[in-house]
mmCIF file of all heavy atoms in Angstrom:
data_model
loop_
_atom_site.group_PDB
_atom_site.id
_atom_site.type_symbol
_atom_site.label_atom_id
_atom_site.label_comp_id
_atom_site.label_asym_id
_atom_site.label_seq_id
_atom_site.Cartn_x
_atom_site.Cartn_y
_atom_site.Cartn_z
ATOM 1 N N LEU A 1 -22.551 195.285 -133.530
ATOM 2 C CA LEU A 1 -21.726 194.088 -133.678
ATOM 3 C C LEU A 1 -21.114 193.654 -132.351
ATOM 4 O O LEU A 1 -21.030 192.458 -132.052
ATOM 5 C CB LEU A 1 -20.626 194.339 -134.715
ATOM 6 C CG LEU A 1 -21.094 194.399 -136.168
ATOM 7 C CD1 LEU A 1 -19.983 194.928 -137.065
ATOM 8 C CD2 LEU A 1 -21.556 193.032 -136.666
ATOM 9 N N LEU A 2 -20.677 194.609 -131.538
ATOM 10 C CA LEU A 2 -20.134 194.263 -130.219
ATOM 11 C C LEU A 2 -21.190 193.573 -129.368
ATOM 12 O O LEU A 2 -20.919 192.545 -128.716
ATOM 13 C CB LEU A 2 -19.617 195.525 -129.519
ATOM 14 C CG LEU A 2 -18.352 196.153 -130.116
ATOM 15 C CD1 LEU A 2 -18.102 197.531 -129.506
ATOM 16 C CD2 LEU A 2 -17.136 195.262 -129.907
ATOM 17 N N VAL A 3 -22.398 194.117 -129.367
ATOM 18 C CA VAL A 3 -23.495 193.515 -128.606
ATOM 19 C C VAL A 3 -23.819 192.128 -129.157
ATOM 20 O O VAL A 3 -24.025 191.163 -128.403
ATOM 21 C CB VAL A 3 -24.739 194.421 -128.637
ATOM 22 C CG1 VAL A 3 -25.960 193.695 -128.079
ATOM 23 C CG2 VAL A 3 -24.477 195.702 -127.849
ATOM 24 N N HIS A 4 -23.858 192.027 -130.469
ATOM 25 C CA HIS A 4 -24.173 190.752 -131.135
ATOM 26 C C HIS A 4 -23.248 189.629 -130.674
ATOM 27 O O HIS A 4 -23.702 188.524 -130.343
ATOM 28 C CB HIS A 4 -24.056 190.967 -132.641
ATOM 29 C CG HIS A 4 -23.983 189.717 -133.465
ATOM 30 N ND1 HIS A 4 -25.019 188.815 -133.555
ATOM 31 C CD2 HIS A 4 -22.992 189.230 -134.254
ATOM 32 C CE1 HIS A 4 -24.671 187.824 -134.356
ATOM 33 N NE2 HIS A 4 -23.452 188.055 -134.789
ATOM 34 N N HIS A 5 -21.957 189.897 -130.632
ATOM 35 C CA HIS A 5 -21.019 188.831 -130.259
ATOM 36 C C HIS A 5 -21.091 188.512 -128.768
ATOM 37 O O HIS A 5 -20.929 187.344 -128.381
ATOM 38 C CB HIS A 5 -19.609 189.200 -130.702
ATOM 39 C CG HIS A 5 -19.409 189.009 -132.173
ATOM 40 N ND1 HIS A 5 -19.300 187.773 -132.767
ATOM 41 C CD2 HIS A 5 -19.342 189.912 -133.186
ATOM 42 C CE1 HIS A 5 -19.161 187.910 -134.075
ATOM 43 N NE2 HIS A 5 -19.178 189.203 -134.350
ATOM 44 N N GLU A 6 -21.328 189.496 -127.926
ATOM 45 C CA GLU A 6 -21.501 189.187 -126.504
ATOM 46 C C GLU A 6 -22.756 188.349 -126.290
ATOM 47 O O GLU A 6 -22.764 187.426 -125.464
ATOM 48 C CB GLU A 6 -21.571 190.486 -125.689
ATOM 49 C CG GLU A 6 -20.256 191.261 -125.640
ATOM 50 C CD GLU A 6 -19.098 190.466 -125.041
ATOM 51 O OE1 GLU A 6 -19.332 189.619 -124.144
ATOM 52 O OE2 GLU A 6 -17.949 190.684 -125.479
ATOM 53 N N GLU A 7 -23.808 188.655 -127.033
ATOM 54 C CA GLU A 7 -25.030 187.855 -126.921
ATOM 55 C C GLU A 7 -24.791 186.428 -127.399
ATOM 56 O O GLU A 7 -25.313 185.472 -126.812
ATOM 57 C CB GLU A 7 -26.154 188.507 -127.729
ATOM 58 C CG GLU A 7 -26.690 189.785 -127.102
ATOM 59 C CD GLU A 7 -27.779 190.432 -127.924
ATOM 60 O OE1 GLU A 7 -27.927 190.080 -129.125
ATOM 61 O OE2 GLU A 7 -28.487 191.297 -127.383
ATOM 62 N N ARG A 8 -24.007 186.282 -128.457
ATOM 63 C CA ARG A 8 -23.719 184.934 -128.933
ATOM 64 C C ARG A 8 -22.891 184.161 -127.910
ATOM 65 O O ARG A 8 -23.135 182.974 -127.667
ATOM 66 C CB ARG A 8 -22.985 184.990 -130.273
ATOM 67 C CG ARG A 8 -22.554 183.601 -130.745
ATOM 68 C CD ARG A 8 -22.085 183.607 -132.182
ATOM 69 N NE ARG A 8 -23.210 183.820 -133.070
ATOM 70 C CZ ARG A 8 -23.059 184.142 -134.362
ATOM 71 N NH1 ARG A 8 -21.853 184.334 -134.852
ATOM 72 N NH2 ARG A 8 -24.117 184.288 -135.122
ATOM 73 N N LEU A 9 -21.911 184.799 -127.293
ATOM 74 C CA LEU A 9 -21.128 184.129 -126.249
ATOM 75 C C LEU A 9 -22.019 183.683 -125.105
ATOM 76 O O LEU A 9 -21.883 182.564 -124.584
ATOM 77 C CB LEU A 9 -20.032 185.066 -125.750
ATOM 78 C CG LEU A 9 -18.876 185.329 -126.728
ATOM 79 C CD1 LEU A 9 -18.039 186.513 -126.254
ATOM 80 C CD2 LEU A 9 -17.998 184.093 -126.890
ATOM 81 N N THR A 10 -22.947 184.543 -124.712
ATOM 82 C CA THR A 10 -23.880 184.189 -123.637
ATOM 83 C C THR A 10 -24.756 183.012 -124.046
ATOM 84 O O THR A 10 -24.998 182.090 -123.255
ATOM 85 C CB THR A 10 -24.758 185.402 -123.273
ATOM 86 O OG1 THR A 10 -23.917 186.467 -122.829
ATOM 87 C CG2 THR A 10 -25.762 185.057 -122.188
ATOM 88 N N ALA A 11 -25.213 183.028 -125.292
ATOM 89 C CA ALA A 11 -26.064 181.945 -125.775
ATOM 90 C C ALA A 11 -25.312 180.614 -125.786
ATOM 91 O O ALA A 11 -25.862 179.572 -125.384
ATOM 92 C CB ALA A 11 -26.573 182.272 -127.173
ATOM 93 N N ILE A 12 -24.055 180.637 -126.223
ATOM 94 C CA ILE A 12 -23.276 179.398 -126.264
ATOM 95 C C ILE A 12 -23.004 178.890 -124.855
ATOM 96 O O ILE A 12 -23.088 177.678 -124.583
ATOM 97 C CB ILE A 12 -21.966 179.617 -127.042
ATOM 98 C CG1 ILE A 12 -22.264 179.899 -128.514
ATOM 99 C CG2 ILE A 12 -21.046 178.396 -126.912
ATOM 100 C CD1 ILE A 12 -21.047 180.287 -129.331
ATOM 101 N N ALA A 13 -22.669 179.792 -123.943
ATOM 102 C CA ALA A 13 -22.463 179.380 -122.551
ATOM 103 C C ALA A 13 -23.727 178.735 -121.997
ATOM 104 O O ALA A 13 -23.662 177.737 -121.259
ATOM 105 C CB ALA A 13 -22.057 180.580 -121.706
ATOM 106 N N GLY A 14 -24.883 179.278 -122.354
ATOM 107 C CA GLY A 14 -26.145 178.684 -121.927
ATOM 108 C C GLY A 14 -26.349 177.293 -122.497
ATOM 109 O O GLY A 14 -26.836 176.383 -121.804
ATOM 110 N N MET A 15 -25.975 177.100 -123.768
ATOM 111 C CA MET A 15 -26.070 175.775 -124.377
ATOM 112 C C MET A 15 -25.204 174.758 -123.625
ATOM 113 O O MET A 15 -25.631 173.634 -123.353
ATOM 114 C CB MET A 15 -25.603 175.825 -125.831
ATOM 115 C CG MET A 15 -26.465 176.581 -126.792
ATOM 116 S SD MET A 15 -25.659 176.546 -128.425
ATOM 117 C CE MET A 15 -26.532 177.880 -129.218
ATOM 118 N N LEU A 16 -23.970 175.173 -123.331
ATOM 119 C CA LEU A 16 -23.060 174.266 -122.622
ATOM 120 C C LEU A 16 -23.599 173.914 -121.243
ATOM 121 O O LEU A 16 -23.515 172.755 -120.810
ATOM 122 C CB LEU A 16 -21.674 174.903 -122.501
ATOM 123 C CG LEU A 16 -20.934 175.225 -123.807
ATOM 124 C CD1 LEU A 16 -19.572 175.861 -123.498
ATOM 125 C CD2 LEU A 16 -20.744 173.983 -124.667
ATOM 126 N N GLY A 17 -24.141 174.932 -120.567
ATOM 127 C CA GLY A 17 -24.687 174.684 -119.242
ATOM 128 C C GLY A 17 -25.866 173.727 -119.277
ATOM 129 O O GLY A 17 -26.000 172.844 -118.413
ATOM 130 N N ALA A 18 -26.705 173.867 -120.278
ATOM 131 C CA ALA A 18 -27.894 173.017 -120.372
ATOM 132 C C ALA A 18 -27.552 171.589 -120.790
ATOM 133 O O ALA A 18 -28.159 170.624 -120.312
ATOM 134 C CB ALA A 18 -28.883 173.632 -121.366
ATOM 135 N N ALA A 19 -26.582 171.444 -121.680
ATOM 136 C CA ALA A 19 -26.264 170.123 -122.224
ATOM 137 C C ALA A 19 -25.229 169.371 -121.393
ATOM 138 O O ALA A 19 -25.121 168.152 -121.496
ATOM 139 C CB ALA A 19 -25.761 170.262 -123.655
ATOM 140 N N GLY A 20 -24.446 170.092 -120.601
ATOM 141 C CA GLY A 20 -23.361 169.464 -119.850
ATOM 142 C C GLY A 20 -22.060 169.523 -120.614
ATOM 143 O O GLY A 20 -21.057 170.005 -120.115
ATOM 144 N N ARG A 21 -22.075 169.030 -121.849
ATOM 145 C CA ARG A 21 -20.904 169.144 -122.716
ATOM 146 C C ARG A 21 -21.373 169.051 -124.167
ATOM 147 O O ARG A 21 -22.376 168.389 -124.476
ATOM 148 C CB ARG A 21 -19.872 168.066 -122.417
ATOM 149 C CG ARG A 21 -20.323 166.663 -122.790
ATOM 150 C CD ARG A 21 -19.221 165.651 -122.613
ATOM 151 N NE ARG A 21 -19.566 164.382 -123.294
ATOM 152 C CZ ARG A 21 -18.760 163.348 -123.375
ATOM 153 N NH1 ARG A 21 -17.549 163.398 -122.820
ATOM 154 N NH2 ARG A 21 -19.134 162.250 -124.023
ATOM 155 N N LEU A 22 -20.637 169.694 -125.060
ATOM 156 C CA LEU A 22 -20.960 169.694 -126.481
ATOM 157 C C LEU A 22 -19.677 169.749 -127.290
ATOM 158 O O LEU A 22 -18.688 170.342 -126.857
ATOM 159 C CB LEU A 22 -21.829 170.907 -126.855
ATOM 160 C CG LEU A 22 -23.238 170.998 -126.278
ATOM 161 C CD1 LEU A 22 -23.820 172.389 -126.542
ATOM 162 C CD2 LEU A 22 -24.135 169.919 -126.886
ATOM 163 N N THR A 23 -19.698 169.158 -128.471
ATOM 164 C CA THR A 23 -18.612 169.376 -129.413
ATOM 165 C C THR A 23 -18.849 170.715 -130.119
ATOM 166 O O THR A 23 -19.960 171.250 -130.131
ATOM 167 C CB THR A 23 -18.552 168.273 -130.483
ATOM 168 O OG1 THR A 23 -19.738 168.318 -131.286
ATOM 169 C CG2 THR A 23 -18.399 166.896 -129.843
ATOM 170 N N ALA A 24 -17.804 171.218 -130.755
ATOM 171 C CA ALA A 24 -17.960 172.448 -131.529
ATOM 172 C C ALA A 24 -18.953 172.249 -132.671
ATOM 173 O O ALA A 24 -19.703 173.171 -133.019
ATOM 174 C CB ALA A 24 -16.607 172.903 -132.078
ATOM 175 N N PHE A 25 -18.984 171.057 -133.260
ATOM 176 C CA PHE A 25 -19.936 170.818 -134.346
ATOM 177 C C PHE A 25 -21.368 170.865 -133.829
ATOM 178 O O PHE A 25 -22.263 171.380 -134.518
ATOM 179 C CB PHE A 25 -19.664 169.473 -135.023
ATOM 180 C CG PHE A 25 -20.527 169.235 -136.228
ATOM 181 C CD1 PHE A 25 -20.259 169.900 -137.425
ATOM 182 C CD2 PHE A 25 -21.611 168.365 -136.180
ATOM 183 C CE1 PHE A 25 -21.056 169.698 -138.551
ATOM 184 C CE2 PHE A 25 -22.412 168.168 -137.290
ATOM 185 C CZ PHE A 25 -22.138 168.832 -138.479
ATOM 186 N N GLU A 26 -21.610 170.354 -132.639
ATOM 187 C CA GLU A 26 -22.953 170.430 -132.059
ATOM 188 C C GLU A 26 -23.352 171.880 -131.789
ATOM 189 O O GLU A 26 -24.505 172.266 -132.010
ATOM 190 C CB GLU A 26 -23.017 169.593 -130.779
ATOM 191 C CG GLU A 26 -22.965 168.096 -131.038
ATOM 192 C CD GLU A 26 -22.800 167.283 -129.765
ATOM 193 O OE1 GLU A 26 -22.116 167.747 -128.826
ATOM 194 O OE2 GLU A 26 -23.341 166.161 -129.724
ATOM 195 N N VAL A 27 -22.399 172.675 -131.329
ATOM 196 C CA VAL A 27 -22.675 174.102 -131.134
ATOM 197 C C VAL A 27 -22.941 174.769 -132.481
ATOM 198 O O VAL A 27 -23.867 175.580 -132.625
ATOM 199 C CB VAL A 27 -21.497 174.784 -130.409
ATOM 200 C CG1 VAL A 27 -21.676 176.302 -130.390
ATOM 201 C CG2 VAL A 27 -21.362 174.247 -128.992
ATOM 202 N N CYS A 28 -22.144 174.399 -133.476
ATOM 203 C CA CYS A 28 -22.291 174.975 -134.815
ATOM 204 C C CYS A 28 -23.694 174.735 -135.364
ATOM 205 O O CYS A 28 -24.355 175.665 -135.857
ATOM 206 C CB CYS A 28 -21.234 174.368 -135.732
ATOM 207 S SG CYS A 28 -21.429 174.743 -137.484
ATOM 208 N N THR A 29 -24.173 173.513 -135.314
ATOM 209 C CA THR A 29 -25.488 173.216 -135.883
ATOM 210 C C THR A 29 -26.611 173.809 -135.047
ATOM 211 O O THR A 29 -27.659 174.168 -135.585
ATOM 212 C CB THR A 29 -25.692 171.702 -136.035
ATOM 213 O OG1 THR A 29 -25.472 171.049 -134.777
ATOM 214 C CG2 THR A 29 -24.729 171.132 -137.076
ATOM 215 N N ALA A 30 -26.395 173.943 -133.743
ATOM 216 C CA ALA A 30 -27.407 174.601 -132.910
ATOM 217 C C ALA A 30 -27.530 176.077 -133.278
ATOM 218 O O ALA A 30 -28.632 176.637 -133.278
ATOM 219 C CB ALA A 30 -27.050 174.449 -131.434
ATOM 220 N N LEU A 31 -26.415 176.709 -133.614
ATOM 221 C CA LEU A 31 -26.426 178.132 -133.965
ATOM 222 C C LEU A 31 -26.905 178.373 -135.394
ATOM 223 O O LEU A 31 -27.680 179.303 -135.656
ATOM 224 C CB LEU A 31 -25.016 178.722 -133.824
ATOM 225 C CG LEU A 31 -24.480 178.988 -132.427
ATOM 226 C CD1 LEU A 31 -23.002 179.350 -132.515
ATOM 227 C CD2 LEU A 31 -25.267 180.089 -131.742
ATOM 228 N N PHE A 32 -26.410 177.570 -136.320
ATOM 229 C CA PHE A 32 -26.557 177.883 -137.735
ATOM 230 C C PHE A 32 -27.431 176.917 -138.510
ATOM 231 O O PHE A 32 -27.668 177.125 -139.696
ATOM 232 C CB PHE A 32 -25.175 177.939 -138.400
ATOM 233 C CG PHE A 32 -24.261 178.978 -137.818
ATOM 234 C CD1 PHE A 32 -23.261 178.618 -136.928
ATOM 235 C CD2 PHE A 32 -24.399 180.313 -138.146
ATOM 236 C CE1 PHE A 32 -22.409 179.570 -136.392
ATOM 237 C CE2 PHE A 32 -23.562 181.275 -137.611
ATOM 238 C CZ PHE A 32 -22.561 180.906 -136.732
ATOM 239 N N GLY A 33 -27.901 175.854 -137.880
ATOM 240 C CA GLY A 33 -28.698 174.867 -138.585
ATOM 241 C C GLY A 33 -27.839 173.828 -139.273
ATOM 242 O O GLY A 33 -26.613 173.926 -139.320
ATOM 243 N N ASP A 34 -28.501 172.814 -139.829
ATOM 244 C CA ASP A 34 -27.780 171.710 -140.473
ATOM 245 C C ASP A 34 -28.113 171.597 -141.958
ATOM 246 O O ASP A 34 -27.967 170.535 -142.559
ATOM 247 C CB ASP A 34 -28.080 170.389 -139.763
ATOM 248 C CG ASP A 34 -29.574 170.064 -139.734
ATOM 249 O OD1 ASP A 34 -30.368 170.852 -140.292
ATOM 250 O OD2 ASP A 34 -29.942 169.029 -139.157
ATOM 251 N N LYS A 35 -28.540 172.693 -142.550
ATOM 252 C CA LYS A 35 -28.926 172.681 -143.969
ATOM 253 C C LYS A 35 -27.950 173.484 -144.832
ATOM 254 O O LYS A 35 -28.281 173.867 -145.950
ATOM 255 C CB LYS A 35 -30.342 173.264 -144.135
ATOM 256 C CG LYS A 35 -31.406 172.593 -143.289
ATOM 257 C CD LYS A 35 -31.555 171.112 -143.604
ATOM 258 C CE LYS A 35 -32.678 170.498 -142.778
ATOM 259 N NZ LYS A 35 -32.745 169.021 -142.988
ATOM 260 N N LEU A 36 -26.763 173.741 -144.341
ATOM 261 C CA LEU A 36 -25.793 174.548 -145.064
ATOM 262 C C LEU A 36 -25.009 173.710 -146.065
ATOM 263 O O LEU A 36 -24.821 172.508 -145.867
ATOM 264 C CB LEU A 36 -24.811 175.203 -144.091
ATOM 265 C CG LEU A 36 -25.410 176.099 -143.005
ATOM 266 C CD1 LEU A 36 -24.318 176.541 -142.036
ATOM 267 C CD2 LEU A 36 -26.110 177.296 -143.613
ATOM 268 N N GLY A 37 -24.533 174.360 -147.128
ATOM 269 C CA GLY A 37 -23.577 173.720 -148.017
ATOM 270 C C GLY A 37 -22.192 173.764 -147.406
ATOM 271 O O GLY A 37 -21.964 174.393 -146.363
ATOM 272 N N ILE A 38 -21.220 173.125 -148.049
ATOM 273 C CA ILE A 38 -19.893 173.002 -147.462
ATOM 274 C C ILE A 38 -19.220 174.362 -147.287
ATOM 275 O O ILE A 38 -18.510 174.589 -146.297
ATOM 276 C CB ILE A 38 -19.004 172.044 -148.294
ATOM 277 C CG1 ILE A 38 -17.686 171.740 -147.557
ATOM 278 C CG2 ILE A 38 -18.757 172.597 -149.695
ATOM 279 C CD1 ILE A 38 -17.858 171.049 -146.228
ATOM 280 N N HIS A 39 -19.442 175.297 -148.205
ATOM 281 C CA HIS A 39 -18.827 176.618 -148.089
ATOM 282 C C HIS A 39 -19.312 177.327 -146.828
ATOM 283 O O HIS A 39 -18.509 177.827 -146.027
ATOM 284 C CB HIS A 39 -19.154 177.442 -149.333
ATOM 285 C CG HIS A 39 -18.541 178.804 -149.359
ATOM 286 N ND1 HIS A 39 -17.218 179.016 -149.671
ATOM 287 C CD2 HIS A 39 -19.054 180.030 -149.090
ATOM 288 C CE1 HIS A 39 -16.942 180.303 -149.615
ATOM 289 N NE2 HIS A 39 -18.039 180.946 -149.260
ATOM 290 N N GLN A 40 -20.627 177.368 -146.646
ATOM 291 C CA GLN A 40 -21.177 178.035 -145.472
ATOM 292 C C GLN A 40 -20.890 177.259 -144.190
ATOM 293 O O GLN A 40 -20.663 177.856 -143.127
ATOM 294 C CB GLN A 40 -22.682 178.242 -145.641
ATOM 295 C CG GLN A 40 -23.055 179.257 -146.700
ATOM 296 C CD GLN A 40 -22.543 180.643 -146.343
ATOM 297 O OE1 GLN A 40 -22.314 180.944 -145.185
ATOM 298 N NE2 GLN A 40 -22.348 181.470 -147.350
ATOM 299 N N LEU A 41 -20.883 175.924 -144.284
ATOM 300 C CA LEU A 41 -20.608 175.134 -143.085
ATOM 301 C C LEU A 41 -19.185 175.367 -142.594
ATOM 302 O O LEU A 41 -18.926 175.402 -141.382
ATOM 303 C CB LEU A 41 -20.838 173.648 -143.365
ATOM 304 C CG LEU A 41 -20.667 172.736 -142.145
ATOM 305 C CD1 LEU A 41 -21.691 173.063 -141.061
ATOM 306 C CD2 LEU A 41 -20.765 171.269 -142.543
ATOM 307 N N ARG A 42 -18.249 175.542 -143.516
ATOM 308 C CA ARG A 42 -16.868 175.835 -143.099
ATOM 309 C C ARG A 42 -16.817 177.132 -142.297
ATOM 310 O O ARG A 42 -16.203 177.202 -141.232
ATOM 311 C CB ARG A 42 -15.952 175.923 -144.326
ATOM 312 C CG ARG A 42 -14.542 176.394 -144.003
ATOM 313 C CD ARG A 42 -13.628 176.250 -145.198
ATOM 314 N NE ARG A 42 -14.016 177.068 -146.323
ATOM 315 C CZ ARG A 42 -13.582 178.321 -146.528
ATOM 316 N NH1 ARG A 42 -12.761 178.897 -145.650
ATOM 317 N NH2 ARG A 42 -13.959 178.987 -147.594
ATOM 318 N N PHE A 43 -17.469 178.178 -142.821
ATOM 319 C CA PHE A 43 -17.526 179.438 -142.083
ATOM 320 C C PHE A 43 -18.199 179.246 -140.724
ATOM 321 O O PHE A 43 -17.742 179.769 -139.704
ATOM 322 C CB PHE A 43 -18.315 180.484 -142.878
ATOM 323 C CG PHE A 43 -17.528 181.171 -143.948
ATOM 324 C CD1 PHE A 43 -18.017 181.239 -145.244
ATOM 325 C CD2 PHE A 43 -16.305 181.762 -143.683
ATOM 326 C CE1 PHE A 43 -17.307 181.888 -146.246
ATOM 327 C CE2 PHE A 43 -15.583 182.416 -144.671
ATOM 328 C CZ PHE A 43 -16.089 182.475 -145.960
#
């Protein structure tokens, strides 16, 4: 789990670097997809 979260932080930093800037929702859909229901999307 510790490794998992460090890898996710690295992945998000890479997204920001590539895109220039992103909203949290854009990061959310890049990580988790856009096919979630409201319960899962909130998480």
Side-chain angles (χ1 to χ4, degrees):
L1 287 168
L2 290 169
V3 169
H4 164 65
H5 283 287
E6 292 301 328
E7 288 179 344
R8 175 168 290 166
L9 289 167
T10 300
I12 294 173
M15 292 178 197
L16 298 180
R21 68 174 194 176
L22 294 169
T23 65
F25 186 75
E26 289 171 326
V27 171
C28 170
T29 55
L31 285 171
F32 300 101
D34 58 2
K35 305 300 183 185
L36 302 174
I38 189 62
H39 182 78
Q40 291 297 336
L41 184 63
R42 173 171 63 90
F43 279 129

